[in-house]
């Protein structure tokens, strides 16, 4: 048995499965065997419990225990159908909201908030009162009434996933809505949604019974557990045992569902075991460089502002990156480094607006709408936090090969072999094993190297690395920087390296752009930076903040010691 199988079969999950299996077997087997005792009128009326009648008989001489067993089938069927309607409808609605345009999403979320303000049972009572009472009415009423609550939770979870870097990258690469939902959104929400689904099952079971109890559910001659509770009211003081059977069966089924949900949720978690559209753009997808312009990346007069243009975050930025050149963008947090890089990649958040006289990568016009396949081949991105870059609910293999399979037309086998070679090239040990592991099973350095490998397999013209060494220790940083140099030397890839650490930039980059408060204040060559030949006070303050090893103090101390031994002043 695998580790994941052992994790699934916890004591709670085992108890839940055993109890639910017993309830389901009762629902399947009991009706054909005991229907006669459950339906037949006899003279043995209102008998107390006995070996012949475990729960006694009712006022019509029918066996109460047999009636509970028979009622279990209809109750379970109705509960499953109503839960299915709520879960499927809520899941589809919640995911669709976050794949819709922003305006549609905001209005939909407001409507959901209004809908969930009404208790599910009250909404179901209203629906059931409008329709004719019956089993079908009860199923539809509770199924429809449960959709808003499930959709609201799904939308909240989907919103968190939609802001994750791995989702933004997939969307940037042109992954379709269906694949975005089934590969990224739904798997990442599996744990809480499984718990919620089982909670809904348990709640619906009680509410289905409640509808029948008040006369809006199952109608005679049919009966479910709620109907039996209603029938027991008249004899509640004289023979309360009649209410015990359906109440206990409801409790057993509900608790079993909750135990199963907890076990499935833990198993789904690998650690324990507006439809989106780009911002309106101008121009076409192809840009023609000006005559004599050899730069791979050209940015002229870039401005980035908040929605409505109230606050300008980046303004007047002019930038170029030549082919096979490593250019560093440095500055403190909030200086506009990442916004500039994301503008180049076409990945600014929806709520931000941008404008530029020119914004191109090669012949791709980033003010227009380049084809996702062209973007995937020309531009690669490496994010700051390797822990959030990959989908935690999927193994590394499918994620690392997705671009090759989607945009390069490779077969699954060829894509896998290519990525394995790339992982080995950047120093990932046992690459075949890493492909089968989940992201949390890799160290931070391994995940960072895996990101680099995924970025280089398409042989991109431009690699954008946003603070890629911040979360790594010094020894791992050195390895990552060597991998960047090797990438430039081997493939001729240009690199736009974003960092707040001038020490790292000084070791890696050919040229450095210094940003402060959303604008460029100075540009330096590697030689100028190495010689501390800077002119702007802000750049000087960044250099002064780089830790320096003082080797003169030790020399002075040693000289003083020798002088003391010789009996002279140092």
């Amino acid at each position: 048995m695998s580790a994941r199988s052992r994790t699934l079969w916890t004591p709670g999950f085992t108890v839940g499965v055993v109890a639910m299996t017993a309830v389901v077997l009762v629902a399947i087997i009991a009706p054909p065997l005991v229907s006669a005792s459950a339906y037949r009128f006899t003279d043995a009326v209102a008998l107390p419990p006995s070996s012949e009648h475990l729960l006694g008989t009712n006022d019509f001489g029918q066996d109460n225990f047999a009636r509970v067993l028979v009622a279990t089938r209809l109750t379970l069927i109705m509960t499953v159908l109503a839960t299915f309607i709520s879960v499927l409808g809520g899941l589809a609605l919640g995911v669709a909201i976050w794949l819709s345009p922003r305006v549609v999403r905001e209005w939909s979320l407001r409507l959901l908030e209004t809908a969930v303000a009404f208790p599910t049972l009250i909404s179901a009572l209203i629906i059931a009162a409008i329709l004719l009472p019956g089993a079908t009415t009860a199923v539809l009423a509770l199924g429809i009434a449960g959709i808003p609550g499930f959709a609201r939770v799904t939308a909240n979870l989907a919103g968190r996933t939609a802001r994750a870097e791995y989702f933004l990258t997939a969307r940037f690469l042109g992954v379709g809505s269906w694949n975005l939902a089934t590969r990224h959104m739904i798997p990442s929400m599996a744990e809480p949604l499984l718990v919620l689904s089982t909670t809904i099952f348990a709640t619906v079971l009680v509410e289905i019974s409640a509808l029948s109890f008040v006369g809006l559910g199952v109608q005679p001659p049919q009966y479910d557990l709620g109907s039996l509770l209603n029938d027991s009211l008249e004899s509640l003081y004289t023979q309360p045992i009649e209410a015990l059977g359906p109440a206990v069966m409801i409790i057993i089924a509900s608790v079993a569902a909750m135990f199963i949900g907890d076990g499935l949720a833990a198993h789904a978690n690998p650690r324990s075991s507006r439809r989106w559209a780009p911002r309106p753009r101008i121009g076409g997808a192809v840009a023609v460089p000006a005559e004599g312009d050899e730069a791979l990346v050209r940015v002229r007069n870039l401005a980035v502002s908040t929605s409505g243009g109230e606050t300008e975050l980046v303004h007047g930025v002019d930038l170029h990156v030549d082919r096979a050149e490593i250019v560093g963008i440095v500055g403190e947090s909030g200086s506009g480094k990442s916004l500039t890089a994301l503008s180049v990649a076409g990945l600014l958040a929806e709520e931000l607006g941008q404008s530029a006289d020119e914004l191109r990568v090669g012949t791709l016009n980033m003010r227009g709408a380049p084809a996702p396949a062209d973007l995937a081949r020309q531009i690669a991105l490496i994010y700051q936090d390797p822990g959030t870059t990959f989908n935690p609910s999927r193994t590394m293999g499918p994620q690392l090969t997705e671009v090759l399979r989607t945009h390069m037309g490779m077969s699954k086998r060829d894509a896998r072999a290519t990525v394995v070679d790339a992982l080995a090239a950047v120093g990932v040990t046992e690459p075949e094993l890493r492909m089968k592991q989940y992201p949390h099973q890799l160290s931070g350095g391994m995940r960072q190297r895996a990101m680099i490998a995924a970025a280089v397999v398409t042989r991109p013209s431009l690699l954008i690395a946003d603070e890629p060494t911040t979360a790594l220790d010094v020894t791992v940083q050195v390895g990552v920087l060597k991998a960047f140099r090797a990438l430039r030397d081997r493939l001729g890839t240009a690199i736009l390296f974003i960092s707040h650490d001038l020490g790292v930039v000084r070791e890696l980059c050919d040229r450095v752009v210094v940003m402060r408060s959303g604008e460029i204040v100075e540009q330096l060559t590697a030689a100028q930076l190495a010689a501390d030949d800077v002119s702007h006070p802000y750049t000087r303050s960044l250099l002064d903040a780089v830790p320096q090893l003082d080797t003169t103090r030790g020399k002075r101390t040693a000289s003083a010691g020798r002088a003391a031994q010789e009996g002279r002043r140092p």
Side-chain angles (χ1 to χ4, degrees), residues 76-406:
L76 280 186
I77 291 174
M78 294 169 61
T79 302
V80 169
L81 291 177
T83 302
F84 179 78
I85 292 172
S86 295
V87 170
L88 186 63
L91 181 63
L93 182 58
V95 170
I97 285 173
W98 275 96
L99 294 177
S100 300
R102 183 178 178 184
V103 174
V104 175
R105 179 169 67 245
E106 291 179 351
W107 277 100
S108 298
L109 290 175
R110 302 295 84 77
L111 290 174
L112 275 183
E113 290 170 356
T114 303
V116 298
F118 296 92
T120 302
L121 186 56
I122 300 299
S123 302
L125 285 171
I126 295 173
I127 297 172
I130 295 174
L131 303 175
L132 292 176
T136 302
T137 296
V139 169
L140 291 176
L142 282 169
I144 295 172
I147 288 176
F150 197 91
R152 190 67 181 91
V153 175
T154 302
N156 288 340
L157 296 171
R160 183 178 62 185
T161 303
R163 298 184 186 97
E165 290 173 347
Y166 66 82
F167 186 88
L168 292 173
T169 301
R171 194 172 66 177
F172 166 72
L173 296 175
V175 176
S177 297
W178 174 258
N179 287 331
L180 285 175
T182 56
R183 292 184 184 178
H184 297 288
M185 272 191 172
I186 295 176
S188 68
M189 301 185 290
E191 179 184 0
L193 292 186
L194 280 171
V195 174
L196 182 60
S197 298
T198 54
T199 302
I200 287 179
F201 178 92
T203 303
V204 167
L205 179 62
V206 175
E207 293 174 344
I208 282 272
S209 302
L211 284 181
S212 295
F213 181 79
V214 299
L216 293 176
V218 174
Q219 302 297 304
Q222 290 182 315
Y223 59 88
D224 64 354
L225 296 175
S227 301
L228 294 184
L229 286 173
N230 180 278
D231 294 343
S232 69
L233 281 179
E234 295 180 1
S235 57
L236 190 60
Y237 294 103
T238 59
Q239 196 170 350
I241 193 71
E242 188 173 334
L244 181 63
V248 168
M249 188 62 76
I250 291 173
I251 293 172
I252 291 174
S254 300
V255 172
M258 297 300 294
F259 277 142
I260 292 173
D262 288 343
L264 290 176
H267 184 62
N269 182 2
R271 289 185 180 273
S272 56
S273 50
R274 177 176 88 184
R275 170 189 169 111
W276 179 85
R279 173 185 298 97
R281 298 178 184 271
I282 59 175
V286 178
V288 179
E291 185 176 352
D293 188 354
E294 300 295 333
L296 173 69
V297 177
R298 176 65 67 182
V299 179
R300 298 185 193 274
N301 197 27
L302 172 68
V304 178
S305 60
T306 57
S307 180
E310 296 90 353
T311 304
E312 200 167 56
L313 306 174
V314 171
H315 47 91
V317 168
D318 292 332
L319 175 69
H320 75 278
V321 182
D322 293 333
R323 298 180 187 277
E325 183 184 27
I326 303 179
V327 174
I329 303 181
V330 299
E332 61 192 353
S333 298
S335 61
K337 309 182 303 295
S338 295
L339 288 179
T340 300
L342 292 174
S343 297
V344 172
L347 278 179
L348 275 181
E350 289 181 346
E351 57 269 20
L352 298 178
Q354 76 175 31
S355 64
D357 295 339
E358 183 178 6
L359 186 61
R360 68 168 179 84
V361 177
T363 58
L364 298 180
N365 181 10
M366 303 309 295
R367 298 187 303 160
D374 292 335
L375 289 172
R377 285 191 289 264
Q378 295 295 320
I379 304 174
L381 298 102
I382 298 175
Y383 294 104
Q384 175 179 352
D385 185 1
T388 61
T389 301
F390 296 105
N391 187 335
S393 62
R394 304 178 69 201
T395 57
M396 297 294 292
Q399 300 187 69
L400 295 174
T401 59
E402 187 168 40
V403 173
L404 295 178
R405 291 183 286 109
T406 302

